[in-house]
Amino acid sequence: MNFRTLDLNLLRVFDTVMAEGSLTRAAQVLAMTQPAVSHAIKRLHEAVGESLFERSAGGMRPTARAQALWPQVRAALSGLQQALAPQAFVPERDAVNMRLAMADSTAALLLPSLVAAIEAQRALANLRVQPLATRDPRGLLERGESDLAVGYFPEAVAHIEAQGGDASLHHQRLSDTRYVCVMRRDHPLAAPGALDLDAYCAALHLLVSFSGRPHGFVDQALAGLGRQRRIVLTVNQFFTAGRVVTRSDLLTVLPESFVAATGFQTELVTRELPFELGRIHVEMLWHLRRDNDPAHRWLRGLIEAAHWGA
């Protein structure tokens, strides 16, 4: 490819098609006709020397070459835009709609403080919380179905970090906590020293699983010790878990800072687990196409400063 003769407008078209995943939507964003966008992509294919998109039932599917090229193109275009036409976002003047993907328990702890910050600024921001039934929100962010995801996403974060500068998603750690065993206050195992490994495995258990899977991190840790537990009930909400545990002999395992999200904190006690589990890192994930968006940066700042559980 001869860079000196490359029409740089083609890169802007490429960036928009990548972001929108559709020639029709890209044409609307660019105020161009669909044939004009298609022709621009064809010219870029010729300049690069290989195809960057393939047609699929869901729209335009980028090739591996396009996926590798996009982060650099997006960063370059964003830098130029900020240098030539810096944008200012005024929360009380500029209306904005944002979609946040997070589990119910995360929302219960984060949203009171976040809404208070929005009200304090008299911001014209409207938030829509989308239910999250997975620990991997990458698909939602890649497809543009969510603007931001908040939660514990170990696989997604590991993938992002492994990609380094080629990653199409960014992440930021918000808080961390540890797992604890949770039970009703008058449970026999609530007595000091009562919860050893044998007692834990002999007890009946409740599992909180957002995806509905019948096993979790605890079961993996126990398997490593050659042990197992009996899970009587699997639910997908911390509130349900708290209500059941306060009225039964079931034990559950929750992140310590999320026990308040059950709504039954005063009726529950926490105890150290008799085995090791890794810490939980609450992360904020977003797509790089929103990285320099002034409104998105403002919202990320509010979330970073939010007081969990306040």
Side-chain angles (χ1 to χ4, degrees):
M1 181 179 68
N2 188 340
F3 183 78
R4 290 183 300 173
T5 61
L6 177 66
D7 182 352
L8 297 182
N9 286 318
L10 302 181
L11 298 180
R12 182 166 172 260
V13 174
F14 167 73
D15 175 62
T16 307
V17 174
M18 285 291 291
E20 298 298 328
S22 161
L23 290 180
T24 300
R25 292 195 297 271
Q28 294 171 346
V29 171
L30 294 167
M32 297 170 62
T33 64
Q34 182 173 330
V37 172
S38 181
H39 180 65
I41 292 298
K42 181 180 178 181
R43 288 175 58 200
L44 187 59
H45 286 177
E46 294 170 349
V48 173
E50 60 181 289
S51 179
L52 296 174
F53 295 97
E54 299 172 350
R55 291 191 179 275
S56 68
M60 299 298 290
R61 184 173 62 193
T63 64
R65 172 66 168 144
Q67 293 281 16
L69 184 63
W70 191 28
Q72 285 76 22
V73 171
R74 169 51 66 100
L77 291 175
S78 296
L80 283 172
Q81 181 178 3
Q82 286 298 108
L84 298 174
Q87 299 176 348
F89 174 70
V90 182
E92 66 271 23
R93 181 196 66 194
D94 302 327
V96 62
N97 297 303
M98 292 287 184
R99 298 159 300 174
L100 282 66
M102 64 181 77
D104 180 70
S105 54
T106 306
L109 294 180
L110 171 63
L111 292 182
S113 178
L114 182 58
V115 170
I118 290 173
E119 289 180 332
Q121 295 190 25
R122 300 182 181 274
L124 299 179
N126 304 310
L127 306 183
R128 179 157 62 94
V129 176
Q130 301 169 313
L132 190 60
T134 175
R135 290 203 184 277
D136 191 349
R138 284 177 291 173
L140 290 172
L141 298 170
E142 293 279 7
R143 294 189 299 269
E145 296 173 8
S146 294
D147 298 301
L148 193 144
V150 179
Y152 178 44
F153 311 124
E155 293 182 8
V157 170
H159 182 79
I160 293 169
E161 293 179 343
Q163 287 185 306
D166 293 330
S168 60
L169 298 177
H170 290 173
H171 74 98
Q172 180 177 348
R173 183 170 298 177
L174 298 173
S175 68
D176 68 0
T177 185
R178 61 174 185 156
Y179 282 112
V180 292
C181 185
V182 181
M183 64 192 78
R184 59 182 173 85
R185 285 197 169 274
D186 55 351
H187 195 288
L189 295 179
L195 190 64
D196 59 17
L197 184 58
D198 288 336
Y200 182 87
C201 293
L204 302 179
H205 297 265
L206 179 151
L207 169 67
V208 180
S209 172
F210 301 136
S211 65
R213 290 186 298 180
H215 298 92
F217 299 115
V218 169
D219 303 285
Q220 295 173 11
L222 289 175
L225 298 172
R227 307 296 292 268
Q228 61 183 6
R229 61 177 179 166
R230 179 188 167 195
I231 298 172
V232 175
L233 178 65
T234 300
V235 301
N236 66 356
Q237 289 189 341
F238 285 7
F239 172 81
T240 304
R243 185 172 180 83
V244 171
V245 168
T246 60
R247 289 160 175 78
S248 70
D249 280 337
L250 299 186
L251 306 181
T252 193
V253 173
L254 300 178
E256 187 173 31
S257 63
F258 279 68
V259 174
T262 66
F264 298 94
Q265 188 175 17
T266 59
E267 301 176 49
L268 299 170
V269 294
T270 63
R271 294 292 181 263
E272 296 277 349
L273 287 165
F275 51 89
E276 290 294 326
L277 277 184
R279 292 188 68 81
I280 304 163
H281 308 299
V282 180
E283 305 268 356
M284 174 168 56
L285 273 62
W286 67 94
H287 200 280
L288 66 83
R289 62 174 167 262
R290 306 305 303 274
D291 202 43
N292 292 317
D293 182 315
H296 201 275
R297 295 180 67 175
W298 167 79
L299 178 62
R300 297 200 306 265
L302 290 188
I303 292 175
E304 181 183 5
H307 300 289
W308 291 78

